[in-house]
Amino acid sequence: MTSRISKFLIIFTLLTISCKNKKEEATPMWNPSNSDISNWKEDALTKGDTNAYYNLSKDYMDSSYDDFLEVALTMANKYEYHLAFSDAYDCLTNVNRKLGEHELKPLNEETRKLAIDMLKRGAEKGNIECQHKLGELYIEGVYIEKDIEKGNKLIKESE
């Protein structure tokens, strides 16, 4: 019994010492340079580079990258990149979102039509976020003709 306790104490002491001796590793922060952002933007806009687009979207989510809507619309319209449709919708609706209102309500008619078009096209491309949001719009019958069957089908496809 004493040898078991001794072994336990030795192991416990070694673990405690090794844990205290570990240096904390610094977590690298996402802090791209302006040059990186410019290069990513150019590559996304001129080449449809999805990796550059991903980096821009990450930067946009971490800050407030004002030019991201232009990139999202270009990636959606020119390159038909499925993720860009939902990003474009989010950019369009987040600009004027007010607490307690439907996200499309504060938009003018032209912007609202563009946002819904992004959802429709993204849903056709298989983007699950677009399918789900569009399905909700069909079920609600808000800013789009009410079609509960179509809405439920889109939501089911997005799961």
Side-chain angles (χ1 to χ4, degrees), residues 36-55:
D36 289 335
I37 292 170
S38 293
N39 289 337
W40 294 332
K41 184 178 177 184
E42 181 180 342
D43 288 348
L45 291 172
T46 61
K47 300 175 186 172
D49 185 326
T50 56
N51 288 325
Y53 180 81
Y54 171 78
N55 288 330

Side-chain angles (χ1 to χ4, degrees), residues 57-75:
S57 70
K58 185 176 177 183
D59 184 60
Y60 170 73
M61 296 303 165
D62 290 343
S63 62
S64 59
Y65 186 58
D66 295 331
D67 296 331
F68 189 65
L69 175 59
E70 174 193 4
V71 178
L73 287 172
T74 300
M75 288 293 290

Side-chain angles (χ1 to χ4, degrees), residues 76-88:
N77 291 322
K78 185 176 180 181
Y79 301 106
E80 297 190 7
Y81 183 49
H82 69 100
L83 297 177
F85 291 99
S86 61
D87 288 341

